[in-house]
């Protein structure tokens, strides 16, 4: 009876485990994961904003080709009191000393307004090359954003396929647990009828406990990895979902085409080429300091003066309108060597970019060769693991039949079961390792964002 009680307790506990794991959730397809990542991922959103800044910088409003128009205006007010004495002068009309003239609170008002227009006709081609530099900077920002998206996609599928691997392992461990539970039941009946020893029952119960622990640990890893994926997608951390466990590999002929075009599409090489162009423009912008600057200027102004009466003149109001235009030329014949220094430094920067290009080309070639080797190796491992599963499945089924007939011990049966578990989980790991290796190779060839997942 004590054995039956243990069996029933084990059944009840693992029935709860199986029920909790059987609740289905909405499937998160690869396409939906990509869409959510592109829309919500924090790194991609920041990269998108960086592109917008570069786009604003390359616009005509930041080019220096537009004129400047400045409006100005002002008003002044003055109040003054004065007293004018004539120091003994005689008024010819009365023959008496001339009286002092006193003026109180005499108001003087002045108003002005004007428009000043300035336009640079020629600045030694500095703004021309700077405008082209800003456009190339925008292209570089797009390439940097593309690199961010590629890295995020690789991160996404690394986590997505880890969820898939753990999900498949969970199913394997659930099946294993079910078989172990049946073994406990069978061993219990055999013990009751004297066909087995208590040791076999205890061994079966130990195996159930180990299988349950493996299942619990795998489920916890799965929950944690799903949270990692929800962070990438900017989903609620506890949002539940299932993933697609089907993996398709790119045909070899297509992959060979991608490899041939890798030098034209690799994002690191493209960024280096863009940086070279920017460095070349920096030299030309610096050289513009050797040439003169020619500009146009124009102005329109209005002034009004309201003067109070004085001792000798009556008050008056004067309005003045002015219109002026001019051409100016400035030529900095020597600026203390600043332009010469800037040109030299810009040439050194270009030389550094050339050196960096040679280094980057070598590194990319190495990375592609390593990634291709890893991919081929992991594909071969996956094929071997597939065959290994078939072999261990046959071995397990035969061992199961012989165990039921009492021809092998429980230890031998358990070993066949463990071998099958390892073969199936290793096959899952090999499958997703090969797919991740393929994605890494596609990133290096510049095709990661051009394929259908």
């Amino acid at each position: 009876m004590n054995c039956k009680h243990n069996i029933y307790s084990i059944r009840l506990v693992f029935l709860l485990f199986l029920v909790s794991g059987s609740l289905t959730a909405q499937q998160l397809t690869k396409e939906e994961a990509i869409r959510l990542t592109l829309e919500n991922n924090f790194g991609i959103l920041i990269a998108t904003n960086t592109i917008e800044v570069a786009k604003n910088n390359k616009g005509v409003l930041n080019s220096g080709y537009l004129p400047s128009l400045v409006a100005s205006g002002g008003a002044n007010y003055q109040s003054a009191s004065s007293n004018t004495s004539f120091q003994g002068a005689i008024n010819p009309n009365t023959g008496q000393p001339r009286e002092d003239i006193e003026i109180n609170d005499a108001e003087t008002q002045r108003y002005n307004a004007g428009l000043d227009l300035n336009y640079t006709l020629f600045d030694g081609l500095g703004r021309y090359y700077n405008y082209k530099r800003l456009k190339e900077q925008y292209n570089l920002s797009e390439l940097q954003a593309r690199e961010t998206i590629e890295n995020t996609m690789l991160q996404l599928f690394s986590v997505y396929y880890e969820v898939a691997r753990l999900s498949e392992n969970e199913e394997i461990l659930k099946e294993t647990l079910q078989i172990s539970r049946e073994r406990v039941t069978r061993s219990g009946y055999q013990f009751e009828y004297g066909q087995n020893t208590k040791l076999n029952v205890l061994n079966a119960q130990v195996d159930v406990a180990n299988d349950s622990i493996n299942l619990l640990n795998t489920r916890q890893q799965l929950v944690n990895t799903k949270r990692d994926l929800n962070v990438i997608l900017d989903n609620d951390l506890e949002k539940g979902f299932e993933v697609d466990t089907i993996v398709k590999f790119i045909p070899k002929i297509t992959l060979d085409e991608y490899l041939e075009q890798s030098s034209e599409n690799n994002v690191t090489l493209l960024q280096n080429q863009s940086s070279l162009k920017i460095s070349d423009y920096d030299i030309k912008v610096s050289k513009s300091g050797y040439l003169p600057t020619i500009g146009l200027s124009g102005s329109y102004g209005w002034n009004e003066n309201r003067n109070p009466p004085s001792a000798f003149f009556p008050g008056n109001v004067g309005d003045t309108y002015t219109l002026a235009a001019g051409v100016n030329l400035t030529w900095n014949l020597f600026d203390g060597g600043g332009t010469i220094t800037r040109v030299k430094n810009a040439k050194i920067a270009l030389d550094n970019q050339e050196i960096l290009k040679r280094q980057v080309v070598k590194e990319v070639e190495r990375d592609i060769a390593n990634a291709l080797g890893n991919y081929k190796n992991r594909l071969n491992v996956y094929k071997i693991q597939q065959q290994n599963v078939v072999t261990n499945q046959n071995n397990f089924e035969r061992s199961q039949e012989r165990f039921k007939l009492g021809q092998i011990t429980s230890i031998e049966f358990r070993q066949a079961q463990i071998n099958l578990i390892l073969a199936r989980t290793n096959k899952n790991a090999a499958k997703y390792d090969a797919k991740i290796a393929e994605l890494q190779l596609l990133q290096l060839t510049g095709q990661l964002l051009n394929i259908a997942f």
Side-chain angles (χ1 to χ4, degrees), residues 63-202:
S63 65
Y65 278 106
L66 298 180
S68 65
L69 183 63
V70 180
S72 61
N76 289 287
Y77 172 83
Q78 179 180 341
S79 177
S81 297
S82 62
N83 182 44
T84 302
S85 62
F86 297 94
Q87 300 295 325
I90 303 299
N91 189 329
N93 295 326
T94 62
Q96 300 293 324
R98 190 169 181 176
E99 297 178 352
D100 295 347
I101 299 176
E102 185 176 352
I103 300 176
N104 295 316
D105 300 324
E107 295 181 349
T108 302
Q109 301 174 30
R110 293 184 176 87
Y111 304 97
N112 64 83
L115 287 174
D116 292 299
L117 177 70
N118 289 283
Y119 182 67
T120 302
L121 288 175
F122 179 75
D123 67 343
L125 298 177
R127 65 180 173 182
Y128 171 75
Y129 289 115
N130 188 60
Y131 188 41
K132 294 177 75 68
R133 183 189 185 281
L134 291 173
K135 286 186 175 182
E136 192 58 44
Q137 188 66 50
Y138 171 75
N139 294 335
L140 179 59
S141 297
E142 284 191 320
L143 291 171
Q144 291 169 342
R146 174 186 150 187
E147 184 179 31
T148 298
I149 294 173
E150 287 182 355
N151 291 335
T152 304
M153 288 295 109
L154 197 59
Q155 180 190 19
L156 166 67
F157 280 102
S158 295
V159 180
Y160 186 94
Y161 286 133
E162 180 64 9
V163 172
R165 184 186 72 84
L166 291 171
S167 298
E168 289 194 295
N169 285 356
E170 181 188 22
E171 294 301 317
I172 293 171
L173 294 175
K174 283 166 65 176
E175 293 176 15
T176 302
L177 178 59
Q178 181 63 29
I179 294 172
S180 296
R181 289 175 59 242
E182 292 173 356
R183 209 179 112 215
V184 169
T185 303
R186 179 180 294 275
S187 298
Y189 288 144
Q190 289 175 341
F191 175 71
E192 290 180 358
Y193 291 103
Q195 299 175 354
N196 209 345
T197 65
K198 182 65 175 178
L199 180 61
N200 287 330
V201 176
L202 294 175

Side-chain angles (χ1 to χ4, degrees), residues 311-341:
F312 304 101
F313 301 98
N316 63 81
V317 176
D319 288 290
T320 305
Y321 300 91
T322 59
L323 179 64
V327 178
N328 56 76
L329 181 145
T330 58
W331 197 339
N332 195 345
L333 298 177
F334 184 69
D335 62 354
T339 299
I340 296 174
T341 302

